[in-house]
Amino acid sequence: RKEVEQDPGPFNVPEGATVAFNCTYSNSASQSFFWYRQDCRKEPKLLMSVYSSGNEDGRFTAQLNRASQYISLLIRDSKLSDSATYLCVVNPPSGSARQLTFGSGTQLTVLP
Amino acid sequence: DAGITQSPRYKITETGRQVTLMCHQTWSHSYMFWYRQDLGHGLRLIYYSAAADITDKGEVPDGYVVSRSKTENFPLTLESATRSQTSVYFCASSGVHSYEQYFGPGTRLTVT
């Protein structure tokens, strides 16, 4: 089983739609969770950290469910500029505390 | 504020040649990382460093060498390039107080 699993998509949604991505992780002792965004042929960029209580940043909401070991990202009122690959990222407790494990990404295309 | 830079941005080399990819960060981050990204594999950690003169292997270290004599620089050397090392290479850094990593723009390496 992969440490971090995501639905690769692609998700094709119209502008203004709400879209949700889920991600599961295998190590129940994982400590830190993030969503990164990666545009085509560019570097990954931190979108938001994911906190146990859930957190929101504008149109983006991240949730963590430790009992079920999944993380979600909700994007409301999708914009064309949201088109990208979204990477679920987990800090596993094994090995160096600084290592991150990246999911393979979920591709989102927002259509006009 | 330059942040984190990589050079060269594009490189074509021949099988068997030695290649060094450079990474430089201006944040004085303690931690630095090298990843490769290939279709179907996502981001995979090659090597990381917790501080100057401290380095350790990641998931896919074979064929690569790193050094870190200064906090701001973390070069990655392919001692004898192979076609399987054709990839996009990303350098990242992280501060002491958080696990978030910040990525450079990447180097696209083609080994012919």
Side-chain angles (χ1 to χ4, degrees):
Chain A
R1 181 184 174 186
K2 288 184 179 179
E3 288 190 59
V4 179
E5 292 205 62
Q6 296 181 249
D7 180 346
F11 284 64
N12 298 317
V13 302
E15 248 185 312
T18 295
V19 61
F21 307 135
N22 288 329
C23 161
T24 58
Y25 60 95
S26 60
N27 194 322
S28 60
S30 295
Q31 297 296 318
S32 300
F33 310 90
F34 309 94
W35 283 101
Y36 277 69
R37 169 198 169 121
Q38 186 171 26
D39 293 286
C40 187
R41 303 174 75 85
K42 296 286 185 70
E43 73 273 22
K45 292 185 177 177
L46 178 66
L47 180 65
M48 58 197 304
S49 301
V50 186
Y51 303 119
S52 297
S53 55
N55 48 300
E56 188 174 307
D57 183 1
R59 298 181 293 107
F60 298 84
T61 300
Q63 297 278 353
L64 169 63
N65 185 319
R66 285 190 183 272
S68 301
Q69 293 177 221
Y70 82 76
I71 308 153
S72 64
L73 177 68
L74 182 78
I75 306 175
R76 291 182 299 278
D77 188 23
S78 300
K79 311 291 184 191
L80 295 177
S81 57
D82 294 334
S83 296
T85 296
Y86 290 83
L87 306 174
C88 175
V89 184
V90 174
N91 166 235
S94 61
S96 165
R98 291 294 164 171
Q99 291 186 46
L100 298 179
T101 300
F102 289 77
S104 296
T106 298
Q107 186 179 345
L108 171 67
T109 301
V110 181
L111 304 169
Chain B
D1 184 357
I4 182 165
T5 57
Q6 294 184 234
S7 62
R9 295 292 313 278
Y10 303 89
K11 177 74 177 178
I12 300 174
T13 192
E14 294 176 345
T15 300
R17 293 204 180 253
Q18 183 179 80
V19 178
T20 295
L21 310 184
M22 304 302 293
C23 178
H24 176 79
Q25 53 103 355
T26 60
W27 294 311
S28 299
H29 280 171
S30 295
Y31 296 88
M32 296 187 75
F33 307 85
W34 274 107
Y35 295 89
R36 60 177 291 174
Q37 187 173 37
D38 307 285
L39 282 173
H41 288 282
L43 281 159
R44 291 183 291 174
L45 183 65
I46 305 170
Y47 268 96
Y48 63 97
S49 168
D53 298 321
I54 301 175
T55 62
D56 209 345
K57 295 178 181 179
E59 181 187 353
V60 288
D62 293 343
Y64 303 95
V65 174
V66 293
S67 62
R68 195 168 176 206
S69 57
K70 292 184 177 181
T71 299
E72 61 267 31
N73 296 324
F74 191 37
L76 175 74
T77 297
L78 288 66
E79 294 187 297
S80 178
T82 65
R83 289 199 181 92
S84 65
Q85 293 178 309
T86 292
S87 186
V88 181
Y89 290 85
F90 289 106
C91 178
S93 71
S94 175
V96 172
H97 300 295
S98 72
Y99 296 123
E100 295 129 356
Q101 294 180 16
Y102 298 91
F103 285 78
T107 295
R108 293 189 174 274
L109 176 68
T110 301
V111 182
T112 62

